Amino acid sequence: MRNFNRFIPGEEVGAVSQWDFAAVDTASLLLAAQAQAREDAADQARTEAVRQEGYAQGFAQAQAQAAMETQQRIAEFTRNQGEETAQRLAALFASTSQQLQQSEQAIAQGVLELACEVARQVLRQELSVNPNVLQPVIREALGLLLVDSKSAVVRMNPLDLEVLEEPLRAEFSSLSLTLLADARVDRGGCLVESAGTVVDASVEKRWLRAVATMGLSVPWQEADDEP
C-alpha cells in the first residue's frame, strides 16, 4: 500500500507546473456544449422525423383524397357518358328499326312484284298452249248469268274458239249459246252477255282482281309487251 503522507524531498521533485482551474472550467464547458449540441441535434432529428412523418401522413391523406375525387369524377363522367351513349344507342336503334321496317316493306313489295311477273309469264305460256283453261271460266260466267234466261253470247279469241267451240256446245247443249270470235279478246279470256248483263272475264280483269287482293296494282300488259 502506497503511503501518501511521506514527505517528498526537493531532489525527487521533477518539473512543476502551475495548476490552473480555468482549464478545468473550459473543459467542463466544452463537454457541456458538446452534450447540449448532441441534445439539440437529437431534438432537431426528432423534430425533423416528426415533420417528415406529418408530411408523409399529409401527403398520403392528400393522395387518398385526390384519388377518391378522381374516382368520383371518373364515375360521374362514366355515368354521364353511359347515359349519353344509351340515348344515342336508343336513337340509333329506333332509326335502324325504322329503316329495317322500310327495307322489309320494300323487299316484300319487290318479292311480290317479282312473283307477279313470274306468274304473269307462266299464265301467258299456259294460256297460249292450253286453251282448255278457259272452259271453267266460261262455265262460271254462265252460272252467274243464266238464272232466268236460257241464252247467252260468248265472245273469245278466235284461237280459243277454234279449240273450245265443240266442247262448249256439247256441255251447254240445253242453252242457246252464240259463240263469237273476237280478236280484241286476249287468249284465255272471254266476255259473256245475257239479258243485257255482261260479265267481263277477260284475262286482264281477272289478273287485276287477283293482284289487288295482295295490295298491288300490276297491269297485265306492260308498255313494252308485244301485242
Side-chain angles (χ1 to χ4, degrees):
M1 180 178 179
R2 297 181 63 181
N3 185 6
F4 293 98
N5 295 322
R6 187 176 66 86
F7 176 78
I8 302 173
E11 59 273 13
E12 294 181 7
V13 176
V16 178
S17 61
Q18 184 179 2
W19 182 264
D20 188 358
F21 285 94
V24 176
D25 294 339
T26 301
S28 298
L29 291 174
L30 180 60
L31 291 174
Q34 291 176 349
Q36 184 65 39
R38 288 194 296 270
E39 185 177 354
D40 292 343
D43 291 341
Q44 185 176 2
R46 286 194 295 270
T47 301
E48 181 64 20
V50 172
R51 190 182 69 84
Q52 291 293 337
E53 183 179 0
Y55 173 79
Q57 292 178 353
F59 179 79
Q61 292 176 356
Q63 190 177 28
Q65 181 67 24
M68 183 175 64
E69 291 179 357
T70 301
Q71 291 178 352
Q72 291 176 350
R73 292 180 180 179
I74 292 176
E76 183 178 359
F77 176 79
T78 303
R79 183 171 60 254
N80 293 336
Q81 287 296 109
E83 292 176 355
E84 293 177 1
T85 301
Q87 292 176 357
R88 288 197 297 268
L89 287 176
L92 179 61
F93 179 76
S95 176
T96 302
S97 298
Q98 183 179 4
Q99 293 178 0
L100 181 60
Q101 291 177 356
Q102 294 175 351
S103 298
E104 289 177 347
Q105 293 176 357
I107 292 173
Q109 184 75 12
V111 170
L112 284 176
E113 291 178 356
L114 179 60
C116 287
E117 178 61 26
V118 173
R120 193 166 66 116
Q121 298 299 329
V122 172
L123 284 173
R124 283 186 170 184
Q125 179 66 20
E126 180 68 15
L127 293 176
S128 65
V129 299
N130 185 16
N132 292 323
V133 297
L134 177 58
Q135 193 167 349
V137 177
I138 297 175
R139 186 182 300 118
E140 182 180 359
L142 290 174
L144 292 174
L145 292 177
L146 299 181
V147 178
D148 298 325
S149 176
K150 295 295 183 179
S151 64
V153 176
V154 180
R155 300 177 184 273
M156 65 186 74
N157 187 274
L159 296 176
D160 290 338
L161 179 60
E162 183 179 349
V163 177
L164 294 176
E165 183 173 7
E166 292 184 6
L168 289 175
R169 293 192 183 281
E171 182 177 356
F172 300 100
S173 57
S174 60
L175 300 178
S176 175
L177 288 182
T178 302
L179 303 178
L180 300 178
D182 190 338
R184 294 172 299 179
V185 180
D186 292 334
R187 297 202 64 179
C190 65
L191 298 175
V192 180
E193 181 180 357
S194 178
T197 302
V198 178
V199 174
D200 187 348
S202 63
V203 176
E204 182 176 6
K205 292 294 184 181
R206 284 150 49 202
W207 170 263
L208 291 176
R209 286 195 296 268
V211 298
T213 60
M214 296 182 290
L216 299 176
S217 178
V218 181
W220 172 252
Q221 293 284 356
E222 296 290 349
D224 55 350
D225 288 342
E226 294 181 1

